[in-house]
Amino acid sequence: MVPIRDNNPTSITPYITYGLIAANVLAFLYETSLPPQQLDGFFHLAAIVPRELSASFAGIPVNQPVPEWATLITSQFLHGGLLHLGGNMLFLWIFGNNVEDRLGHFKYLFFYLACGVLAGLAQWFFSQGSTVPSLGASGAIAGVMGAYIIRFPKAEVLTLIPLGFYFPAVRLPAFYFLGFWFLQQALYGVASLEARTNIGMESGGIAYWAHAGGFVFGAILGPILGLFKDDPQQEYL
């Protein structure tokens, strides 16, 4: 299912959401300027490599110029391809502005980065010995989606549903659209724990535990930061 837009207006200009989209696009443009071998080295430097992060937590030097803990943040701005980037930015564009509206600019930025860090740790927990770099804004955006579903469950999301060559557009309550997305990530995450599976990050695919974990952390952290305040005090840049 592909979201097109929601029917949930905002009362502010979502500067942080716009800035995050711009930062991700600029980082991707930098990636495209690198030759393949250099790009691979860049990913191992700036993305989360679970085995190296595990070594860092154990106090074992990994001989990297960037501290391994910092990759929990830098990895959030990297993407493996144009579709990866485009899909993430579409979801951030649709759902991020409303969460920023409720939290205010500065708390929203903290919330976004914190969800990304926690999502990265969730994926690391289930793949501590992996050498496959984990990267992308998906975990942080999943946190935004987790906050959105509990704050705006009845907001309608105009959605394309592919049925062969037919793509009908239907309006779905956010509870159903995002709930289905979360259930899918959680089920694939469980499947990825099986030793013989071809699903998940270990096969060079999707970090499902980062998605599911980010979603849950977003649903928890959002209310703590004031997601449900009736008259939120906006913080302006």
Side-chain angles (χ1 to χ4, degrees):
M1 298 190 296
V2 181
I4 300 175
R5 63 177 181 272
D6 63 1
N7 66 344
N8 200 358
T10 62
S11 60
I12 64 167
T13 301
Y15 295 114
I16 300 300
T17 297
Y18 294 163
L20 289 169
I21 292 173
N24 278 276
V25 171
L26 289 174
F28 183 73
L29 290 176
Y30 174 72
E31 292 175 32
T32 61
S33 72
L34 300 176
Q37 186 173 359
Q38 191 174 347
L39 178 61
D40 183 67
F42 176 67
F43 281 159
H44 278 83
L45 174 67
I48 301 170
V49 180
R51 179 180 291 182
E52 294 181 0
L53 188 60
S54 298
S56 177
F57 287 159
I60 302 172
V62 294
N63 299 320
Q64 291 278 28
V66 176
E68 282 305 308
W69 61 263
T71 63
L72 292 168
I73 296 177
T74 57
S75 62
Q76 298 180 37
F77 297 91
L78 306 179
H79 289 86
L82 187 58
L83 288 178
H84 187 200
L85 173 71
N88 278 347
M89 295 305 101
L90 175 63
F91 276 74
L92 180 57
W93 174 271
I94 293 173
F95 301 111
N97 58 346
N98 295 107
V99 177
E100 182 175 353
D101 190 16
R102 303 309 300 177
L103 294 180
H105 302 306
F106 295 116
K107 283 196 293 184
Y108 172 71
L109 178 60
F110 170 80
F111 166 83
Y112 179 91
L113 295 174
C115 286
V117 168
L118 293 170
L121 288 173
Q123 183 63 44
W124 163 81
F125 180 81
F126 289 101
S127 57
Q128 297 183 32
S130 174
T131 59
V132 179
S134 177
L135 56 124
S138 306
I141 297 170
V144 171
M145 295 159 63
Y148 191 102
I149 195 175
I150 63 170
R151 183 62 182 83
F152 309 106
K154 296 181 180 180
E156 292 185 338
V157 181
L158 184 62
T159 308
L160 287 179
I161 301 180
L163 300 174
F165 294 101
Y166 181 51
F167 295 86
V170 299
R171 295 187 180 277
L172 296 177
F175 179 81
Y176 292 108
F177 178 88
L178 296 176
F180 176 80
W181 183 90
F182 170 71
L183 181 62
Q184 184 183 45
Q185 306 309 305
L187 290 175
Y188 277 128
V190 172
S192 72
L193 297 178
E194 297 295 330
R196 295 182 181 180
T197 188
N198 288 323
I199 300 173
M201 193 185 76
E202 197 56 44
S203 61
I206 299 173
Y208 290 107
W209 284 115
H211 295 180
F215 192 95
V216 171
F217 288 126
I220 296 172
L221 187 58
I224 294 174
L225 294 177
L227 187 66
F228 283 92
K229 286 184 178 179
D230 292 332
D231 186 19
Q233 181 67 38
Q234 301 294 347
E235 304 171 52
Y236 293 97
L237 292 174

